[in-house]
Amino acid sequence: MSDFILVKPLCRERIKSVRLDNVLERSLKGYEYEEVSTTEEFERAEIKGRRVVFAISQGTSGINLEYYGILKKIRLGCDCLEGCTGAIIADGASEFHTKAAARELALSANMAGCAFVGKSLVEGTGTLKNYNVIAKNLSIGNLEAYASSAEQLVRNLMEFELPAKSSPRILMVHAGRNGKSNSVALWNMVREHLGGVQLEEISLQDGEIKDCIGCPYVACRHFGEQNSCFYGGVITEKVYPSILSCDVLVVVSPNYNDAAPAYVSAFINRLTALFRVNQLSGKMLFAVVVSGYSGGDLVAQQLIGALNMNKPFILPARAMLFETANDPGDVDHVPGIEKIAAKFAENMLKQATK
């Protein structure tokens, strides 16, 4: 059997995929793989349980028609990627669309049973300015930095093993108010089915949380070496130590205007100092997202982009639990909600424990 499946949706304008083809030629050298380039090939391929490299050429518009055909099959085939582990390379001819496409793909594939390695995305924007810092730090050109990053991503995928523990430490963070928060109420239902784990919960409402101010790299690293941050407070006093010691992070978030609330966003932004000096690549990410109306998928994509793609949290299969509930207590009356919560807890334990 080949080492992995390469899902590379056909780009009918060949010239637009030249750069991606060159990056893949280097990244995939020495591996044996099967290439899937059309929707029909995707349907016929035996993908379940395999490692998968998704490589999307998007051109200027960000639209690859064959990609959307494959995405449709992923969304309709509820378990078509069961047991898979994936990584994504997205290449475009503008400064836009690469990350948006990668986030929607990651969420859809994850819901179909695919896990993703930490730092699961390598993207090449039109100018490759997104590699300015990496190229400078390595004293190489931006194109070389892009190719090198893709090569490392494939290597990470091939070496990946889910780091299950006999008694995992789970950290749940939230910004809701007990008694009024549907997202916290849903988490409480999940928690009832989490036996045999060490569980800690932190409310981001317990102290004033300032957002990241974008300290210079040297200053951020200096504070990170002390497991601290310029602002201090509950983030450095409670959250940092708990992040360092946990095996699983669960973000419990309502949907505020199709985004995570300010405290959750600030929590994510403030993690940067901690990641400057700590290798935290063995931790898993799960999330519970409750929307009053719609858009829970947008919040999930935000969390995936921030914590799985920008930071090294592993995204286990089916890592997101969604529900719609508006008034306080509405989630308690969702038909079958207890079974839904129990099933999510069962999946968490399956992924995180030996």
Side-chain angles (χ1 to χ4, degrees):
M1 181 178 288
S2 58
D3 294 321
F4 57 85
I5 300 281
L6 172 65
V7 177
K8 182 176 177 288
L10 176 66
C11 179
R12 300 188 187 280
E13 298 176 75
R14 298 285 185 177
I15 192 171
K16 294 184 178 180
S17 63
V18 169
R19 187 174 69 179
L20 178 60
D21 290 340
N22 290 336
V23 167
L24 290 175
E25 183 178 4
R26 167 175 167 172
S27 304
L28 308 183
K29 186 176 181 179
Y31 295 110
E32 293 185 8
Y33 58 91
E34 301 167 42
E35 184 170 342
V36 169
S37 59
T38 67
T39 305
E40 292 75 21
E41 289 175 353
F42 183 84
E43 285 186 288
R44 293 194 299 266
E46 295 182 4
I47 299 181
K48 289 184 180 181
R50 306 287 298 280
R51 300 176 195 268
V52 184
V53 176
F54 297 95
I56 313 167
S57 180
Q58 297 178 261
T60 303
S61 68
I63 295 174
N64 178 318
L65 294 178
E66 201 64 47
Y67 159 68
Y68 283 108
I70 292 173
L71 182 65
K72 179 180 179 180
K73 294 300 179 182
I74 291 173
R75 289 179 174 175
L76 294 178
C78 301
D79 64 348
C80 65
L81 296 174
E82 191 70 46
C84 291
T85 305
I88 302 172
I89 302 172
D91 187 88
S94 78
E95 302 308 287
F96 308 113
H97 313 305
T98 47
K99 186 159 285 181
R103 296 199 310 185
E104 72 172 357
L105 171 59
L107 176 59
S108 298
N110 184 255
M111 293 172 70
C114 184
F116 282 88
V117 299
K119 286 190 172 290
S120 62
L121 171 65
V122 165
E123 57 174 333
T125 63
T127 64
L128 294 182
K129 286 182 179 179
N130 56 314
Y131 287 98
N132 282 354
V133 173
I134 294 175
K136 182 180 179 181
N137 289 343
L138 297 177
S139 299
I140 57 178
N142 286 35
L143 181 58
E144 175 70 11
Y146 176 22
S148 177
S149 296
E151 188 175 11
Q152 182 62 55
L153 177 61
V154 174
R155 190 179 304 120
N156 291 345
L157 176 65
M158 294 307 301
E159 296 174 353
F160 177 80
E161 296 292 341
L162 204 63
K165 302 290 183 68
S166 57
S167 180
R169 297 174 61 91
I170 297 178
L171 169 65
M172 184 279 270
V173 297
H174 71 97
R177 297 188 181 279
N178 288 321
K180 294 186 176 182
S181 170
N182 281 305
S183 55
V184 173
L186 180 54
W187 162 253
N188 288 340
M189 296 181 203
V190 173
R191 183 183 59 192
E192 291 179 4
H193 301 278
L194 292 175
V197 302
Q198 304 174 64
L199 181 60
E200 180 182 6
E201 299 181 356
I202 294 180
S203 170
L204 300 176
Q205 296 271 5
D206 288 347
E208 182 181 5
I209 297 179
K210 295 181 181 292
D211 206 344
C212 175
I213 60 170
C215 288
Y217 174 83
V218 173
C220 186
R221 182 177 179 85
H222 168 73
F223 284 106
E225 288 171 347
Q226 304 170 56
N227 289 333
S228 185
C229 171
F230 175 79
Y231 276 130
V234 65
I235 291 293
T236 58
E237 295 167 7
K238 293 181 64 177
V239 174
Y240 278 11
S242 296
I243 289 286
L244 289 172
S245 63
C246 79
D247 302 302
V248 176
L249 171 65
V250 183
V251 179
V252 175
S253 175
N255 174 6
Y256 286 175
N257 297 303
D258 296 330
Y263 275 177
V264 172
S265 295
F267 151 73
I268 293 170
N269 294 339
R270 292 278 300 281
L271 290 180
T272 300
L274 191 66
F275 282 85
R276 294 286 191 204
V277 294
N278 293 280
Q279 297 297 322
L280 304 177
S281 56
K283 301 178 186 299
M284 300 183 195
L285 169 68
F286 290 88
V288 175
V289 179
V290 177
S291 300
Y293 300 97
S294 64
D297 55 327
L298 299 180
V299 176
Q301 289 179 30
Q302 179 185 356
L303 297 175
I304 290 171
L307 294 169
N308 169 254
M309 293 179 172
N310 291 346
K311 291 182 172 62
F313 284 94
I314 296 163
L315 189 69
R318 298 186 177 88
M320 304 286 162
L321 174 60
F322 302 96
E323 198 47 73
T324 302
N326 199 320
D327 294 331
D330 275 1
V331 74
D332 297 329
H333 307 294
V334 173
I337 192 62
E338 288 289 352
K339 289 184 178 179
I340 293 170
K343 184 176 181 180
F344 185 72
E346 180 183 1
N347 180 58
M348 284 183 63
L349 293 175
K350 176 182 176 181
Q351 304 287 339
T353 58
K354 292 182 179 179

